[in-house]
Amino acid sequence: MGINVGGGFHHCSAENGGGFCAYADISLCIHFAFVQLNISRVIIIDLDAHQGNGHEMDFADDNRVYILDMYNPGIYPLDHEARSYINQKVDVKSGTRTEEYLLKLDEALEVAGRRFNPELLVYNAGTDILEGDPLGRLKISPDGIALRDEKVFRFARKKNIPIVMLTSGGYMKSSARVIADSILNLEKKCLIETSGDPKTA
Ligand SMILES: [Zn+2]
C-alpha cells in the first residue's frame, strides 16, 4: 500500500502534457509494475472529477490495464478519443451530490470486480469532486470523500491486492484537511497499516 500526496498527473501521456500535468506518473508506475514486479493485470480507478485522458491514451487497447473512470463529462479535457479507451465510464454531471455519487460508485465497483481480476490497483483520488471546487463542479461532502476512499480500499482488500493512491486534483485549501481526515479514517478502519508496523518500516 502506498499513498503519494504529490501524484496523480492523469492528463499527461507518454507523448503529451496537459492540464497541470507535466509527467505521466500513473503510466510510469504501471510500466514499472509490468517490467520490475512481474505484474500483468492492473486496474486504474480514476475518481478525480476530470477524465484521465493521459493514462487512457497510454493504455489504449492494452488489455493488461482495465480503466474505470468516473468523471464530469462537461469539463476539461473533453478528450473524446481517449474516452473511447475507457473500459468502464461513469458520468457524474455538474451538481451531482454525495448520495447519488456514492451509489454510482458502489455499482461501478461491483461491475469492475466481476469483469476484471487485477493484481494491482492504482487509485487516482482527486478531491476536486468536493462541493465548492471551482474546476470539478460536483457537490460531494468531506465525509463523502472519506467514504469514497474507504470503498476503494475495501475493493482492494476484497481482491487481496496492493493499492497505490495518488491524491491528484483539488483546488481549494480545504482539500488538504479532507485528504488528511480520509487517511486517518482509513487507518481507523484498519485499511492501511500504521507506521509502527514493521512491515511498513
Ligand atoms: Zn481533476
Side-chain angles (χ1 to χ4, degrees):
M1 190 282 301
I3 299 176
N4 180 3
V5 295
F9 302 115
H10 66 158
H11 299 305
C12 186
S13 68
E15 299 298 327
N16 292 298
F20 304 124
C21 306
Y23 62 95
D25 60 339
I26 293 172
S27 302
L28 286 166
C29 167
I30 292 171
H31 280 293
F32 182 87
F34 287 157
V35 174
Q36 299 286 335
L37 306 178
N38 203 25
I39 278 174
S40 55
R41 293 186 309 278
V42 180
I43 185 167
I44 301 172
I45 297 183
D46 193 334
L47 302 185
D48 185 277
H50 299 89
Q51 179 205 344
N53 58 329
H55 56 72
E56 286 155 11
M57 294 306 289
D58 283 343
F59 297 111
D61 301 323
D62 185 334
N63 58 18
R64 295 172 300 176
V65 179
Y66 183 95
I67 300 173
L68 163 56
D69 196 348
M70 202 163 143
Y71 61 92
N72 184 341
I75 59 173
Y76 181 88
L78 306 168
D79 186 333
H80 294 278
E81 185 191 352
R83 280 182 193 179
S84 69
Y85 302 128
I86 302 172
N87 299 89
Q88 194 181 340
K89 250 185 291 223
V90 182
D91 283 356
V92 277
K93 296 200 167 66
S94 294
T96 297
R97 293 183 179 278
T98 308
E99 197 182 340
E100 183 191 344
Y101 184 93
L102 292 175
L103 269 174
K104 283 190 163 181
L105 176 59
D106 279 338
E107 285 170 16
L109 291 175
E110 205 268 317
V111 171
R114 270 190 281 122
R115 283 191 190 166
F116 194 71
N117 192 27
E119 298 170 295
L120 171 69
L121 164 54
V122 177
Y123 173 32
N124 200 48
T127 47
D128 50 9
I129 65 168
L130 271 171
E131 176 154 29
D133 188 282
L135 300 186
R137 300 191 202 159
L138 302 172
K139 295 191 168 179
I140 313 308
S141 68
D143 286 350
I145 297 264
L147 264 169
R148 173 195 73 163
D149 294 349
E150 198 181 316
K151 287 175 189 296
V152 177
F153 274 73
R154 287 197 191 285
F155 178 91
R157 178 63 60 87
K158 207 167 140 195
K159 293 275 184 196
N160 199 24
I161 53 170
I163 177 168
V164 178
M165 174 178 172
L166 308 157
T167 57
S168 204
Y171 305 97
M172 297 190 296
K173 273 190 178 173
S174 59
S175 267
R177 184 71 254 167
V178 171
I179 289 167
D181 286 342
S182 177
I183 292 171
L184 288 170
N185 177 62
L186 293 170
E187 188 187 23
K188 199 174 91 189
K189 303 283 168 64
C190 300
L191 290 164
I192 55 177
E193 289 161 9
T194 61
S195 56
D197 188 319
K199 276 180 293 200
T200 60

